[in-house]
């Protein structure tokens, strides 16, 4: 069986575990995680070594071992510690900027939604007082309420929805979910920059879901380039009110889509990718056939296979 072994920084291994969270399998002794994709089984060890083995191990390894990824840091802060080339300046958070975030990526049912929001410097305090913050720390009801209030403020935003049928076609053609997200964020940013070309702009901040070099490689494969002053940051919604606002708009639309599915199918559609999801999948397969799932779900998730145990 073909295999590839690489030694990677622990920070990268943590990002890998998050990236593969829907494909995780039983973790062997001494490992941090093990995941299985269509290309390879990935096993990351506490020593930093990561083993890729399967039909096409380099297809998975290449996502994490690109030379530009390993060289995407530089010396530059007062502590002398490596600082990402794409890390935002701390002053960005109090200035006019764009922030983007997504929802639905780890959910079996429903689309991926990505929202970008332009927030001017004089709107930041008002949004904070309204209660805008990371949507993961808000109830669904609060998210919906805040989303309505944000829209009423006439804040420039762009929202894009990747429907499940399109998602599944892209995945079958070889697109990873990471590439889909990169292209959605990129399209949202391009649209929003056009809407705000006459406004002050200190930069664009993307809630980081992959290494910047990998993001650039994804959009370059579709002949696109990174916009000027684009920055990446994990958990950006905790620092940037623009990203937090984007996360609320994206999440609110995702919740609306789940509600539409619930009404259409006559069964409560659960969020996430739990055993409860598997049971609902089995019910839908029984009533509508497995092919119908392409309209409503991300069918490459392991839940599709797991659900058959309930049939």
């Amino acid at each position: 069986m073909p295999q590839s072994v690489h030694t990677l920084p622990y920070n990268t291994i943590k990002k890998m575990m998050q990236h593969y969270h829907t494909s995780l399998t039983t973790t062997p002794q001494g490992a941090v995680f093990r995941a299985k994709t269509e290309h390879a089984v990935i096993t990351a060890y506490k020593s930093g070594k990561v083993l890729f083995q399967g039909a096409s191990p380099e297809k998975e390894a290449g996502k994490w071992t690109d030379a530009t990824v390993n060289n995407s840091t530089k010396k530059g802060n007062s502590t002398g510690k490596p600082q990402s080339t794409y890390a935002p300046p701390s002053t960005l958070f109090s200035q006019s900027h764009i922030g983007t975030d997504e929802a639905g990526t780890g959910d079996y049912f429903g689309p991926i939604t990505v929202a970008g929001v332009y927030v001017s410097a004089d709107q930041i305090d008002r949004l904070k007082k309204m209660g805008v913050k990371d949507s993961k720390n808000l109830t669904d009801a609060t998210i919906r309420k805040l989303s309505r209030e944000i829209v009423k403020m006439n804040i420039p935003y762009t929202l894009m929805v990747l429907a499940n049928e399109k998602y599944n076609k892209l995945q079958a053609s070889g697109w990873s979910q990471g590439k889909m997200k990169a292209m959605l964020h990129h399209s949202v940013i391009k649209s929003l920059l056009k809407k705000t070309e006459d406004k002050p702009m200190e930069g664009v901040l993307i809630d980081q879901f992959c290494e910047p070099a990998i993001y650039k490689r994804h959009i370059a494969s579709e002949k696109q380039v990174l916009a000027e002053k684009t920055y990446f940051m994990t958990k950006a919604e905790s620092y940037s009110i623009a990203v937090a606002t984007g996360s609320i708009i994206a999440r609110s639309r995702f919740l609306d889509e789940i509600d539409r599915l619930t009404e259409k199918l006559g069964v409560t559609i659960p969020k996430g990718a739990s055993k409860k999801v598997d049971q609902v999948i089995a019910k839908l397969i029984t009533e509508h056939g497995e092919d119908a799932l392409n309209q409503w779900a991300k069918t490459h998730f392991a839940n599709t296979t797991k659900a058959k145990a309930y049939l």
Side-chain angles (χ1 to χ4, degrees):
M1 179 183 294
Q3 67 178 40
S4 176
V5 181
H6 300 271
T7 300
L8 299 175
Y10 187 67
N11 187 46
T12 299
I13 290 174
K14 288 200 298 183
K15 291 176 182 176
M16 291 174 70
M17 188 172 180
Q18 181 180 8
H19 175 81
Y20 293 118
H21 73 280
T22 60
S23 305
L24 296 176
T25 62
T26 304
T27 303
Q29 187 174 2
V32 179
F33 76 86
R34 173 173 281 174
K36 184 177 182 180
T37 72
E38 60 181 320
H39 300 303
V41 174
I42 305 101
T43 309
Y45 294 93
K46 295 175 182 178
S47 64
K49 287 188 177 181
V50 182
L51 172 64
F52 301 84
Q53 55 185 158
S56 304
E58 287 301 337
K59 285 189 178 181
E60 291 298 333
K63 297 176 182 179
W64 309 100
T65 59
D66 190 296
T68 56
V69 173
N70 295 329
N71 293 306
S72 64
T73 59
K74 65 179 182 179
K75 299 287 184 179
N77 57 11
S78 59
T79 65
K81 295 179 180 178
Q83 180 178 342
S84 171
T85 305
Y86 298 102
S90 59
T91 53
L92 182 74
F93 309 131
S94 60
Q95 297 176 328
S96 303
H97 67 285
I98 286 172
T100 66
D101 204 355
E102 76 280 337
T105 59
D107 297 86
Y108 179 81
F109 287 109
I112 291 179
T113 57
V114 176
V117 178
Y118 169 84
V119 174
S120 61
D122 60 359
Q123 292 172 322
I124 293 174
D125 284 343
R126 180 180 173 185
L127 287 165
K128 288 181 177 179
K129 288 176 182 177
M130 283 169 54
V132 171
K133 57 184 177 180
D134 179 6
S135 64
K136 290 187 285 294
N137 296 323
L138 299 170
T139 65
D140 289 352
T142 299
I143 287 169
R144 286 175 157 137
K145 176 177 178 290
L146 285 172
S147 183
R148 291 192 296 269
E149 292 176 0
I150 290 163
V151 171
K152 287 179 182 177
M153 288 176 64
N154 292 320
I155 290 178
Y157 76 93
T158 294
L159 172 68
M160 291 191 175
V161 179
L162 180 59
N164 290 111
E165 285 185 289
K166 179 67 172 177
Y167 177 100
N168 290 320
K169 286 179 181 178
L170 289 172
Q171 198 277 331
S173 72
W175 282 42
S176 65
Q177 190 185 90
K179 180 173 179 177
M180 295 182 216
K181 289 193 288 184
M183 291 306 302
L184 284 166
H185 277 263
H186 183 70
S187 297
V188 162
I189 290 165
K190 283 182 66 176
S191 170
L192 200 47
L193 285 172
K194 287 182 180 179
K195 293 181 182 179
T196 60
E197 57 187 359
D198 60 340
K199 299 181 182 294
M201 179 66 65
E202 297 304 321
V204 176
L205 181 59
I206 298 171
D207 186 45
Q208 184 173 324
F209 53 86
C210 68
E211 292 287 354
I214 294 174
Y215 181 99
K216 288 178 66 178
R217 189 172 66 194
H218 283 321
I219 65 172
S221 69
E222 300 301 314
K223 298 180 171 57
Q224 299 293 312
V225 296
L226 204 63
E228 291 185 11
K229 294 197 291 186
T230 295
Y231 305 105
F232 297 81
M233 184 181 190
T234 57
K235 298 184 179 179
E237 64 275 20
S238 298
Y239 300 88
S240 161
I241 201 71
V243 175
T245 305
S247 76
I248 287 170
I249 292 176
R251 187 66 180 172
S252 179
R253 178 56 182 271
F254 174 76
L255 293 172
D256 288 346
E257 294 294 331
I258 292 295
D259 284 351
R260 289 190 185 98
L261 276 179
T262 292
E263 183 176 355
K264 178 178 180 178
L265 298 175
V267 58
T268 300
I269 298 298
K271 299 186 286 292
S274 64
K275 288 184 179 179
K276 186 176 180 180
V277 170
D278 300 341
Q279 294 166 353
V280 172
I281 296 168
K283 177 178 174 61
L284 294 175
I285 290 175
T286 299
E287 295 179 356
H288 303 278
E290 186 173 346
D291 288 346
L293 293 173
N294 278 303
Q295 306 170 54
W296 316 313
K298 305 172 187 73
T299 54
H300 69 102
F301 278 28
N303 300 81
T304 303
T305 300
K306 293 177 181 178
K308 293 175 183 178
Y310 294 95
L311 294 174

